[in-house]
Amino acid sequence: MTLHHTAWPAPGAPGNLLGGVAIGDVPSKPAVDWPLQHLRAPLLSAGAASLHEVWRTDEPVASGHSEGIQWRRSADVLMGVIELPEDAGNDTPLQAASQLVYERVFALLRAQGTPHLWRVWNYLADINGESHGLERYRQFNQGRYTAFVQAQRDTGGQVPAACAIGVAGGPLSVAFLAGTSPLVPLENPRQVSAWNYPAQHGPRAPSFSRAALAYPRGQEVLFVSGTASIVGHETVHPGDVAAQCHETVRNLECIVREANRVARSAQPFSLAGLSHRVYVRHAGDAGTVRRTLQPLLRGAPFVCVQGDICRADLLVEIESQALHPLDPA
Ligand code: 3EB
């Protein structure tokens, strides 16, 4: 099994699609029978107004749709996408939607025999807005946490890599990759583990690891979670987007070092060998962010997208991934 992370459309590309994401100004969401997340956020890179990224496998795939989740799987990897509107009839619409989404994901993973959640992409409207006496990101964290507990899953330690980003509107949108094999969670020694954040960041801590190594057949995949200008558990350099870029890259370097302490593949991970997605809160900062990151990321490809970061004082966030072959045992 191999996973590819490629541009799309890629006619004649080898293998079968597992799923992907359409970023930016996508005229109308094509009806496909595979999981395609629509990231409703402007692309800030020069050129095209939209971009597709897809995951492929050399193995046969099966697709399905259950409880709002479009999914596709190979023998050992499953990708899914679910979108759920916030039901205004509920007391806490976003919290309830978040809990329901994760309950459905966990039920599907159990039924499909791919229990290990590796990587989750969460997008929600107005992430820093406040309602029901709580910031919406914190409502999301409560719903997610409750679903983890109810599914008797670990809420600290063995948690997936993730990102949670604010978009202008639309439903709660969650895409995920899961597998038959457990992930190896990684933490960043410069940062308090997110699942251990003190209550000042919300009543329930966010359920994600700083990064994860995952093992689709024959490969080692490094998923680096959304990474921002946080040291310990506090935001540093509020108001200074260039300094936040530097601090974020310091965090990425630290995570890559952690990954290399436990990685099994012969080739070490490096910043230059990762592909990155950069979320920029203010579109007007895109030039500064690009100029600042270009040398810091050492020639690695990165895509800039306008997105709201989950703390109001964070201006930029970077997530990254790389796939390495594993030598046959
Ligand atoms: C942080 O370090 C920034 O809630 O799933 C990054 C990655 C962040 C994932 C999540 C949140 C999440 O706390 C925010």
Side-chain angles (χ1 to χ4, degrees):
M1 147 98 201
T2 52
L3 273 172
H4 305 269
H5 181 231
T6 63
W8 190 75
N16 296 312
L17 282 167
L18 267 176
V21 59
I23 309 174
D25 191 7
V26 186
S28 63
K29 194 181 172 232
V32 292
D33 70 338
W34 47 279
L36 175 62
Q37 187 172 41
H38 183 193
L39 169 43
R40 297 165 177 83
L43 260 189
L44 299 174
S45 311
S50 69
L51 176 81
H52 294 75
E53 294 179 351
V54 296
W55 296 85
R56 288 178 179 275
T57 171
D58 292 338
E59 297 187 14
V61 291
S63 320
H65 193 272
S66 51
E67 291 201 280
I69 306 176
Q70 181 76 56
W71 57 267
R72 196 173 255 198
R73 66 168 299 168
S74 65
D76 66 333
V77 178
L78 184 146
M79 184 161 186
V81 172
I82 175 169
E83 288 192 344
L84 201 67
E86 298 170 33
D87 178 3
N90 209 293
D91 277 352
T92 50
L94 176 58
Q95 184 179 326
S98 307
Q99 184 178 334
L100 190 55
V101 158
Y102 275 84
E103 282 171 1
R104 290 181 181 182
V105 169
F106 294 148
L108 175 72
L109 298 187
R110 201 177 313 120
Q112 288 293 321
T114 52
H116 302 286
L117 188 55
W118 291 345
R119 177 38 162 128
V120 190
W121 292 264
N122 303 286
Y123 300 102
L124 51 139
D126 191 23
I127 195 167
N128 303 123
E130 190 164 318
S131 73
H132 306 83
L134 200 61
E135 186 187 26
R136 283 170 51 80
Y137 172 59
R138 299 176 179 199
Q139 297 175 34
F140 164 79
N141 276 324
Q142 286 203 310
R144 174 172 57 177
Y145 177 90
T146 304
F148 271 73
V149 170
Q150 291 195 347
Q152 295 178 296
R153 286 179 170 254
D154 202 354
T155 53
Q158 201 73 20
V159 284
C163 59
I165 293 292
V167 293
L172 173 63
S173 173
V174 175
F176 56 95
L177 274 165
T180 54
S181 58
L183 59 77
V184 177
L186 302 170
E187 293 299 320
N188 178 351
R190 300 183 80 229
Q191 296 185 309
V192 173
S193 296
W195 39 263
N196 224 3
Y197 278 165
Q200 72 193 76
H201 302 292
R204 288 297 181 206
S207 313
F208 72 95
S209 58
R210 295 298 178 190
L213 291 167
Y215 296 90
R217 197 174 304 157
Q219 282 195 304
E220 181 170 63
V221 184
L222 173 61
F223 295 108
V224 180
S225 293
T227 302
S229 183
I230 295 173
V231 178
H233 60 81
E234 312 219 67
T235 300
V236 293
H237 319 299
D240 184 343
V241 72
Q244 289 197 12
C245 287
H246 280 271
E247 200 67 58
T248 300
V249 171
R250 276 194 283 278
N251 280 327
L252 290 176
E253 282 168 344
C254 236
I255 291 166
V256 166
R257 203 171 306 129
E258 288 299 298
N260 286 330
R261 292 195 318 137
V262 289
R264 301 180 199 158
S265 53
Q267 173 195 5
F269 292 100
S270 67
L271 276 189
L274 294 166
S275 69
H276 307 272
R277 188 184 299 166
V278 182
Y279 298 101
V280 182
R281 179 182 293 277
H282 303 298
D285 284 341
T288 305
V289 168
R290 252 197 309 271
R291 276 191 304 279
T292 308
L293 290 179
Q294 200 87 58
L296 295 177
L297 295 179
R298 297 150 208 260
F302 64 94
V303 172
C304 292
V305 180
Q306 193 282 320
D308 295 338
I309 324 303
C310 64
R311 289 186 192 179
D313 52 10
L314 289 172
L315 301 172
V316 65
E317 182 171 298
I318 305 179
E319 64 188 29
S320 315
Q321 56 207 4
L323 297 84
H324 285 176
L326 277 183
D327 294 334

